[in-house]
Amino acid sequence: MIRYLKRGMSVADVQAADEQVRATVAGIISDVRARGDAAVRECSQRFDGWSPATTRLTQDEIDACIRRLPTRVIDDISFAQAQVRRFAQAQRASVHDCEVETLPGVTLGHKNIPVGSVGCYVPGGRYPLVASAHMSVVTAKVAGVQRVVACAPPTKGAPHDATVAAMSLAGADEIHVLGGVQAIAAMALGTESIASVDMLVGPGNAYVAEAKLQLFGRVGIDLRAGPTEVLVIADHTADAEMVATDLLGQAEHGPNSPAVLITTDEALAHATVTEIARQLTTLPTAEIASAAWRDHGVIMIVDALDEAVAAADALASEHVQVLTAEPGYFLERLRNYGALFLGPETNVAFGDKVIGTNHTLPTKQAARYTGGLWVGKFLKTVTYQRCTPEASAMIGAYCSRLCALEGFAGHQAQADLRVRRFAQGLAPLRPDGLPPGFVATRSGLPGSPDRGGIGCADCMPPAPLGARGE
């Protein structure tokens, strides 16, 4: 049974806030669609105090940003990007093209083709999220995307040097100092100065996440990556200091960032409340983290680990930190999460900044149906087919009858034409619609005797002897 020591805002309050966000975003997108660069500049001035003649940085301006940074910063960015790149390359190597002869003369396959152009959003409002450049630009380039446009808002009226350096080192083809909904709309819709992209990726605040949702269809998107979420699952082996630190470490992202503890230990739950209050007295970002904890903090006490699994899967949280005696128990059983952090030796900050897994992850329960950003998100898996004349005549006979069954006369004409064309010179089709020499396997699919009664040894079981006429 689940008992709540602390609850966050009501669902109704959250929905009301979402409605306000939706309306604001829709207005900005409509304005950018109608007026292009003029609307983008006005929004940029209103929200960021930034209205240059052009938002795109020249190579000289990019190089100047890099020169202003200490060598240590460049080295750290390069190290983090190397980890992201290495893991992305391993993921890309796991994705294969496929071609198989499913029946004699029928070849089916798929190819993985990179998206042509991608817009990568790197947030920078409350904090400059330099690492988002690694996660989006590096991963897109590993996938083979030809044109990558990167946008990040200004910081204190100027480009953020480290963010620009990270975007450049990651391989961005265009870098724009532009933030918020106006950046998302400009990349998706295109303006006089920014050519539209095929896909948008990257995290952001509630407004950016909503803009991506509203533009989905006009462009592809990675996923709904809104305000950060963290779930800590802990038992009696965890300590309150680490639990509180890991909750507040994500709560500081913003005042609407949910932070949830599920624990089997009631004493730990109470100790965590006390420890959070203590840490908030010294945390430099306490103003933000305390608001998030006050409005979106939740503590759930469960009786057993299987209840913790069920509760965690229902939440489908973006980040799940496991601080229990047997973290592997949750790796084997959890199904809904963006990223899993197993044991006290790792934590969400590692994933956010440097370890190599991607930090652009599903929020608002989207982990029920999607994972996070990875090279596969930048690949289109597309299929193809080809047939020999004999196979075309055989497949055509099936297709003709199936089209007639559904009343699609035009479709049926396509199939009948192939039967007429490619059955010429072949022995007439048998009453069962198969050319001579073909047999039906026990799966009901046609095969060939010289292939042991199957079209593809990996796809269908052998036909019984009786089906082969032997």
Side-chain angles (χ1 to χ4, degrees):
M1 183 180 69
I2 297 174
R3 305 182 304 282
Y4 285 87
L5 183 62
K6 183 185 182 306
R7 291 180 183 265
M9 290 175 63
S10 70
V11 173
D13 288 339
V14 173
Q15 289 176 340
D18 287 346
E19 286 296 331
Q20 184 271 325
V21 169
R22 274 191 284 273
T24 300
V25 168
I28 296 173
I29 290 174
S30 178
D31 196 22
V32 172
R33 181 181 285 113
R35 299 193 300 123
D37 279 340
V40 170
R41 279 193 296 270
E42 288 177 15
C43 288
S44 185
Q45 178 61 42
R46 179 167 23 130
F47 297 122
D48 293 322
W50 177 254
S51 179
T54 176
T55 60
R56 183 173 178 177
L57 296 182
T58 65
Q59 189 59 53
D60 286 345
E61 290 170 324
I62 293 168
D63 292 341
C65 289
I66 295 173
R67 284 195 301 270
R68 285 193 290 267
L69 293 170
T71 301
R72 169 62 73 184
V73 171
I74 296 297
D75 289 346
D76 288 347
I77 289 173
S78 298
F79 176 83
Q81 290 189 354
Q83 311 321 306
V84 174
R85 187 175 293 107
R86 185 173 295 118
F87 188 57
Q89 289 169 338
Q91 290 180 308
R92 181 64 185 90
S94 74
V95 180
H96 302 285
D97 292 353
C98 167
E99 184 173 289
V100 61
E101 187 179 31
T102 57
L103 297 167
V106 176
T107 300
L108 308 181
H110 76 230
K111 294 182 64 177
N112 296 285
I113 301 175
V115 172
S117 58
V118 170
C120 298
Y121 187 73
V122 180
R126 188 171 288 109
Y127 309 105
L129 292 187
V130 176
S132 288
H134 324 331
M135 306 299 173
S136 57
V137 180
V138 167
T139 310
K141 283 301 184 182
V142 170
V145 176
Q146 291 186 347
R147 174 178 172 247
V148 174
V149 180
C151 282
T155 298
K156 299 178 180 178
H160 188 267
D161 290 344
T163 300
V164 171
M167 293 190 292
S168 177
L169 293 171
D173 300 291
E174 300 172 28
I175 296 175
H176 293 262
V177 182
L178 185 63
V181 176
Q182 60 271 22
I184 298 298
M187 289 190 288
L189 302 173
T191 69
E192 299 91 327
S193 64
I194 302 177
S196 64
V197 298
D198 300 319
M199 183 179 184
L200 293 170
V201 302
N205 61 21
Y207 293 89
V208 167
E210 178 61 25
K212 287 168 62 180
L213 286 179
Q214 292 190 20
L215 289 161
F216 176 59
R218 173 63 181 80
V219 292
I221 64 172
D222 47 0
L223 42 86
R224 186 171 188 172
T228 289
E229 305 165 351
V230 64
L231 165 63
V232 175
I233 302 174
D235 64 10
H236 64 282
T237 63
D239 64 87
E241 180 186 20
M242 183 170 287
V243 172
T245 299
D246 289 347
L247 289 169
L248 293 179
Q250 294 303 299
E252 73 174 2
H253 268 277
N256 55 353
S257 293
V260 181
L261 169 63
I262 297 176
T263 182
T264 54
D265 188 342
E266 186 167 353
L268 176 64
H270 288 281
T272 298
V273 172
T274 302
E275 180 63 17
I276 285 176
R278 186 192 69 80
Q279 291 189 22
L280 286 172
T281 64
T282 59
L283 186 66
T285 53
E287 182 179 358
I288 299 165
S290 61
W293 178 246
R294 180 192 66 228
D295 295 338
H296 299 279
V298 176
I299 296 179
M300 303 165 63
I301 303 169
V302 297
D303 294 326
L305 294 182
D306 60 343
E307 285 187 352
V309 169
D313 273 341
L315 289 171
S317 185
E318 178 188 16
H319 306 102
V320 179
Q321 171 80 50
V322 179
L323 300 174
T324 64
E326 297 182 15
Y329 176 92
F330 293 91
L331 177 61
E332 294 172 1
R333 291 167 175 79
L334 282 177
R335 297 177 60 83
N336 301 333
Y337 56 87
L340 199 56
F341 304 84
L342 298 167
E345 296 83 7
T346 189
N347 62 86
V348 178
F350 284 7
D352 275 354
K353 307 303 178 188
V354 68
I355 206 166
T357 54
N358 208 289
H359 79 191
T360 304
L361 301 167
T363 63
K364 291 183 176 290
Q365 296 188 302
R368 292 175 297 118
Y369 54 81
T370 186
L373 185 61
W374 71 296
V375 289
K377 293 281 187 179
F378 298 104
L379 300 174
K380 302 175 295 181
T381 302
V382 294
T383 61
Y384 61 89
Q385 58 179 265
R386 56 176 173 261
C387 296
T388 62
E390 296 85 356
S392 181
M394 181 271 294
I395 290 289
Y398 276 93
C399 184
S400 177
R401 295 192 297 271
L402 291 169
C403 292
L405 180 67
E406 296 179 350
F408 277 102
H411 285 63
Q412 185 178 7
Q414 291 178 270
D416 289 345
L417 177 61
R418 269 66 183 183
V419 174
R420 291 196 305 272
R421 291 275 180 92
F422 299 120
Q424 294 178 7
L426 301 178
L429 298 179
R430 301 192 319 235
D432 61 4
L434 299 179
F438 283 75
V439 297
T441 69
R442 63 186 176 202
S443 67
L445 296 173
S448 173
D450 64 357
R451 295 287 299 275
I454 60 175
C456 169
D458 296 328
C459 302
M460 292 184 290
L465 292 178
R468 304 180 193 172
E470 298 174 358

